[in-house]
């Protein structure tokens, strides 16, 4: 899990031009973000703005602003993965409440 976090941090801090911000890249990142978001929903641990960011990424993609769509999708992906990580790190704390 630490490797995933490290990879996400590296991806977030690379300049936008480090990747080809074309249509396929935007679609791929949006798809990955949606998958992670669905996992977070199943865990009942979604972050407040993730869905809004995904909608903005979809809109930017439809408007053919692939740089913006990719950037927003990366942000949503990061939030969804952090929500999953948060759930996994805190799930043992809730056993004692039952």
């Amino acid at each position: 899990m630490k490797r995933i976090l490290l990879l996400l941090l590296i991806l977030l801090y690379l300049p936008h031009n480090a990747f080809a911000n074309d249509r396929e890249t935007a679609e791929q990142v949006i798809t990955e973000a949606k998958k992670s978001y669905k996992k977070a929903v199943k865990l009942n641990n979604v972050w407040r703005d993730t869905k809004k960011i995904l909608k903005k990424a979809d809109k930017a993609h439809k408007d053919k602003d692939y740089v913006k769509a990719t950037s927003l999708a990366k942000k949503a992906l990061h939030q969804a993965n952090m929500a999953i990580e948060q759930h996994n790190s805190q799930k043992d704390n809730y056993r004692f409440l039952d």
Side-chain angles (χ1 to χ4, degrees):
M1 195 51 100
K2 290 181 182 179
R3 289 181 184 174
I4 293 172
L5 290 176
L6 182 61
L7 177 64
L8 287 173
L9 289 173
I10 291 170
L11 290 174
L12 288 173
Y13 288 106
L14 284 176
H16 290 288
N17 294 335
F19 298 101
N21 287 309
D22 56 0
R23 185 175 58 87
E24 292 83 19
T25 303
E27 287 175 0
Q28 182 180 16
V29 178
I30 289 170
T31 302
E32 191 174 341
K34 286 180 179 180
K35 285 180 186 177
S36 291
Y37 178 74
K38 286 179 183 179
K39 286 180 187 177
V41 168
K42 285 182 182 179
L43 296 173
N44 198 25
N45 194 47
V46 293
W47 286 11
R48 182 191 67 204
D49 295 334
T50 309
K51 187 173 183 178
K52 294 176 190 175
I53 297 168
L54 277 171
K55 285 183 180 182
K56 288 179 182 179
D58 279 335
K59 184 179 181 327
H61 188 270
K62 288 177 186 173
D63 294 341
K64 298 182 181 181
D65 187 356
Y66 302 124
V67 174
K68 183 177 180 181
T70 303
S71 176
L72 288 167
K74 285 180 185 178
K75 185 175 181 180
L77 175 63
H78 175 70
Q79 285 193 6
N81 285 336
M82 297 285 36
I84 294 167
E85 169 108 10
Q86 180 184 36
H87 176 270
N88 290 336
S89 68
Q90 295 178 354
K91 66 182 173 186
D92 293 333
N93 296 341
Y94 296 110
R95 283 192 205 165
F96 302 110
L97 298 176
D98 292 333

